Amino acid sequence: GQQVMQIPQYQHVQEGEDFTTYCNSSTTLSNIQWYKQRPGGHPVFLIQLVKSGEVKKQKRLTFQFGEAKKNSSLHITATQTTDVGTYFCAGRWGAQKLVFGQGTRLTINP
Amino acid sequence: SQTIHQWPATLVQPVGSPLSLECTVEGTSNPNLYWYRQAAGRGLQLLFYSVGIGQISSEVPQNLSASRPQDRQFILSSKKLLLSDSGFYLCAWSGVAGGRTDTQYFGPGTRLTVL
């Protein structure tokens, strides 16, 4: 079946440093979604990207969808302790169900 | 507004015992429903999904089963639990796949420990 590969699996940063996680698909996606799961919590939807080359921002978070719609990234500028958690991308091909990546766990040293 | 409930929140069960986890959704009709399992520190493993009453698709062969007796009720069951069934079980709902409402909304989860 279709898969989205997400890297890195883990990332530890100092508070104030930037963070980026990447998702890749071998085939063209219809859309990609991003979710955040706080420690001990459940995944919460952050954003959906649909258009080729789309860039969306939420405060310090920047989401990009590649021109070929095969990759996406989430970049956090100047991380804060509230950014701790696991970030998942989830891709869709046509009308198929969403497929989640394995997630990137972000830990922050205050 | 829509809400999703799961219970129990935590569960400790002996090996070989049965399991029943329940998920209900309020505020929407004919949702797509999903059961995921998450091992400690790992990703989301899709177990079952349902597009309607009585319609269940299994993603991973195992000793678990799912049922959807009502439109907004999704149940995860097992006749005999294994140690490997331990994990964080998440129920989620979404609108029509591929449509604008296909965002998945997760319940609070059930943390299951099998001893």
Side-chain angles (χ1 to χ4, degrees):
Chain A
Q2 303 281 21
Q3 293 184 22
V4 281
M5 303 304 293
Q6 189 172 356
I7 56 170
Q9 188 174 359
Y10 302 98
Q11 185 77 58
H12 181 76
V13 301
Q14 290 290 124
E15 188 174 15
E17 292 181 339
D18 293 356
F19 159 77
T20 305
T21 174
Y22 302 89
C23 274
N24 291 285
S25 166
S26 59
T27 55
T28 302
L29 294 158
S30 299
N31 63 53
I32 195 158
Q33 298 179 7
W34 286 91
Y35 293 75
K36 177 184 178 180
Q37 183 179 23
R38 294 181 184 274
H42 58 276
V44 174
F45 173 77
L46 293 177
I47 209 159
Q48 175 171 281
L49 305 172
V50 179
K51 300 177 181 177
S52 168
E54 190 169 13
V55 178
K56 289 188 177 181
K57 292 190 176 184
Q58 291 179 350
K59 297 183 181 178
R60 293 177 294 104
L61 278 62
T62 301
F63 304 85
Q64 294 188 333
F65 202 10
E67 293 289 341
K69 297 181 70 172
K70 290 183 178 180
N71 56 74
S72 181
S73 65
L74 158 60
H75 179 81
I76 302 178
T77 304
T79 55
Q80 300 175 0
T81 55
T82 53
D83 296 324
V84 164
T86 301
Y87 293 85
F88 292 97
C89 63
R92 182 184 301 287
W93 299 261
Q96 297 181 37
K97 62 186 180 302
L98 216 55
V99 175
F100 282 81
Q102 284 303 299
T104 296
R105 183 191 290 182
L106 173 64
T107 54
I108 298 174
N109 200 21
Chain B
S1 64
Q2 301 87 4
T3 55
I4 178 168
H5 305 278
Q6 279 187 253
W7 63 90
T10 59
L11 191 59
V12 180
Q13 292 284 97
V15 169
S17 63
L19 174 74
S20 181
L21 302 180
E22 189 163 345
C23 171
T24 58
V25 181
E26 296 177 354
T28 187
S29 297
N30 196 30
N32 292 340
L33 295 172
Y34 310 83
W35 278 112
Y36 291 88
R37 178 169 60 201
Q38 186 175 37
R42 305 296 296 275
L44 301 169
Q45 180 187 31
L46 180 63
L47 302 175
F48 302 94
Y49 71 96
S50 171
V51 298
I53 295 174
Q55 300 178 61
I56 309 293
S57 295
S58 174
E59 291 293 301
V60 182
Q62 55 207 322
N63 69 320
L64 298 172
S65 62
S67 62
R68 184 171 177 173
Q70 300 180 42
D71 181 44
R72 290 169 288 177
Q73 184 185 29
F74 206 22
I75 297 172
L76 182 70
S77 305
S78 175
K79 293 182 179 178
K80 289 186 178 182
L81 283 169
L82 306 172
L83 286 174
S84 58
D85 292 322
S86 293
F88 190 40
Y89 287 81
L90 289 156
C91 179
W93 75 271
S94 74
V96 175
R100 291 187 177 183
T101 56
D102 64 356
T103 299
Q104 291 195 13
Y105 299 93
F106 288 82
T110 295
R111 205 163 297 277
L112 172 67
T113 303
V114 182
L115 300 174

